[in-house]
Structures are given as structure tokens and as C-alpha cells.
Amino acid sequence: MRVNFYIDPEHKEHVDFFLKKIEPWHQKIAANLQQDATFIWGYREETAAPLEFKKIVRFFTEDKYVFCSATDQGSFKVKKRIYQLAKELPDQFIQVSSSEIVNFNFVDHLEMSSAGAIIIRLINDETALVSRRFVKELKRRLKL
């Protein structure tokens, strides 16, 4: 595929795609280009804080609430559901179960159990269990 960049400070930025047919990865690129958000609001007690995506380790559910774990700020409650986050988050995030999304920039290593389960060890000593339903997508994204 040929890629061209035309630099012209006089024109407003835009992107055009010339395709024979549209694939899911084309749609993902278009969604990422249109995405302006680099943070999400997190809530703790009576405070709200903007949490940058690059500092978020994972999103997880606990007691019917969604939380995110940030590297330097601890855990915050988030007002979105896991399925909504999975659609809106940048590419470094991948859903590993119906209750958890992991930022792969913070993965230390993967462990394969004898029963075939995959356990993700994060750099902050947290773990995430990959459910069977999400193993195929995980392998595809990691090119395993």
C-alpha cells in the first residue's frame, strides 16, 4: 500500500482513503484519527481527576463498578462500562475478559498454565486472566 503525505500549512488537515474495499482495520485507523481524547475522567471520593491513557495500567470491574488503575495515582472509578471503553480506547489497550481491559505498554510477561489459560503479569505486580473468549484476539494483536 502506498502512503503519501502532503505538507501545506495553508490547508486544513484531512485524510482521504482510496480503497478497493473497506476492512475492519481501515475503520479502526479512521476511528483513531478522529479520536481527540488523550485522557479519561476518574473519580475518587469527592474528587475528579483527568487520567492520561498512557499512565493507565488497566480497567477492571469490581462490585458492579468500573475502575482504572493508574501508575502513579492508584485506582479511580470510571463512569463508563467495559464494553464502551473497549470501543473508545487507543490501540495499546486490549480487552482480555468481559470485566477487564489491559494496557499492553505495562505488560511484564505472559504465563501459560498447563490447563491452557493465559495469565498476564503487569509491571505493577497485578495480574489479569485472559478468558477463553478473548484468547484469539489477544494472539492476533500480539502476533503470536
Side-chain angles (χ1 to χ4, degrees):
M1 179 180 294
R2 190 178 78 202
V3 177
N4 296 319
F5 290 95
Y6 300 100
I7 313 300
D8 188 352
E10 304 283 319
H11 286 88
K12 184 177 178 184
E13 289 184 354
H14 74 280
V15 176
D16 294 321
F17 293 99
F18 297 89
L19 307 167
K20 292 183 180 177
K21 70 176 193 172
I22 192 156
E23 300 285 340
W25 66 275
H26 295 128
Q27 293 171 326
K28 186 91 168 171
I29 290 171
N32 285 340
L33 288 170
Q34 293 171 342
Q35 186 176 31
D36 292 332
T38 58
F39 69 93
I40 190 167
W41 287 99
Y43 302 88
R44 184 189 300 147
E45 295 169 13
E46 300 194 9
T47 62
L51 305 169
E52 292 181 90
F53 290 141
K54 64 183 178 184
K55 294 183 179 179
I56 295 174
V57 178
R58 68 186 184 120
F59 292 90
F60 59 96
T61 58
E62 189 174 288
D63 297 328
K64 296 187 180 185
Y65 293 105
V66 177
F67 293 90
C68 71
S69 175
T71 54
D72 56 351
Q73 298 168 307
S75 293
F76 286 83
K77 191 184 290 187
V78 177
K79 290 189 176 181
K80 293 191 176 196
R81 311 310 301 153
I82 290 286
Y83 71 90
Q84 293 170 322
L85 291 167
K87 292 178 185 175
E88 298 172 7
L89 290 170
D91 281 341
Q92 76 251 33
F93 290 92
I94 185 166
Q95 188 170 4
V96 296
S97 70
S98 59
S99 62
E100 192 160 11
I101 298 174
V102 172
N103 183 343
F104 267 88
N105 293 334
F106 294 101
V107 170
D108 184 42
H109 64 277
L110 302 178
E111 294 177 2
M112 313 296 182
S113 74
S114 58
I118 299 175
I119 299 169
I120 299 173
R121 297 279 178 193
L122 303 168
I123 61 172
N124 62 353
D125 294 328
E126 294 178 346
T127 61
L129 181 64
V130 181
S131 70
R132 288 183 298 168
R133 196 171 113 200
F134 294 91
V135 168
K136 184 176 179 180
E137 177 64 11
L138 174 75
K139 288 182 176 180
R140 185 190 69 77
R141 293 274 301 272
L142 295 178
K143 297 176 176 69
L144 294 176

